[in-house]
Amino acid sequence: MKRINYEKSLELRATYDVVVAGSGPAGICAAVAAAREGARVALVERYGVVGGNLTAGYVGPILGMVGKGTMRDEIVALLGVPENDMIGETGRAHDVEQAKYKLAEFVCHPNIDVYLQCTVCDTLKEGDAVTGIVVAGGEGTFALGAKTTIDATGDGLGAYLAISA
């Protein structure tokens, strides 16, 4: 395979305590939990809406094996399906269009900056430590620095990019 060297100077748009790549259920819960604890958070999503498969993927009912009293309980209550169990035996699908609005409100927190339609395309590293991500969006390619980076992409893209460099 032929290889080329490519170099480009990028804007470091901002530096955060936590950068979360992916805004599906795990990503929005990670972002909101960190923000509630006082962290400054960037939530990065490749599509134009938060929620992952709960919204853009039209997937329901909401599943997931977690303990009682977790943020899952907040999400199912917020989406109007609090009776949904964790394995799909009982419950019903949520209203996807309402979920788009309600989950956008859920992540509307003074400590969270949401970056929609921004695809993770690389990671920033110092030695073995991930120090942020590079995203490509409608405004071009830019970097977001972070003390902690969470890969909630669903396909592990951030983790893959961190080890493939």
Side-chain angles (χ1 to χ4, degrees):
M1 170 188 322
K2 184 177 180 180
R3 299 185 63 83
I4 64 168
N5 286 325
Y6 175 76
E7 185 175 318
K8 183 177 183 178
S9 177
L10 296 177
E11 171 193 4
L12 179 60
R13 177 81 39 104
T15 300
Y16 294 89
D17 297 313
V18 179
V19 169
V20 180
S23 75
I28 61 176
C29 289
V32 170
R36 286 177 180 173
E37 292 297 315
R40 185 162 176 255
V41 179
L43 179 60
V44 179
E45 171 55 47
R46 69 177 162 175
Y47 297 122
V49 62
V50 298
N53 278 333
L54 296 181
T55 55
Y58 282 78
V59 174
I62 300 166
L63 304 175
M65 293 300 292
V66 294
K68 294 277 187 204
T70 64
M71 291 183 83
R72 180 193 186 277
D73 294 341
E74 285 186 61
I75 298 294
V76 294
L78 179 72
L79 299 184
V81 289
E83 70 281 359
N84 282 7
D85 68 352
M86 292 181 254
I87 59 173
E89 287 182 8
T90 61
R92 59 186 174 84
H94 56 284
D95 182 312
V96 171
E97 294 305 316
Q98 279 191 348
K100 291 176 183 177
Y101 177 75
K102 289 181 178 183
L103 292 174
E105 283 186 330
F106 186 67
V107 299
C108 186
H109 188 285
N111 288 1
I112 300 176
D113 292 334
V114 179
Y115 293 85
L116 296 177
Q117 296 185 342
C118 288
T119 301
V120 176
C121 58
D122 208 350
T123 57
L124 303 175
K125 292 176 65 176
E126 290 180 16
D128 289 335
V130 175
T131 59
I133 60 174
V134 177
V135 299
E139 299 176 11
T141 306
F142 57 93
L144 298 172
K147 294 177 186 171
T148 301
T149 304
I150 298 172
D151 182 352
T153 59
D155 60 5
L157 178 60
Y160 170 78
L161 292 169
I163 62 169
S164 67

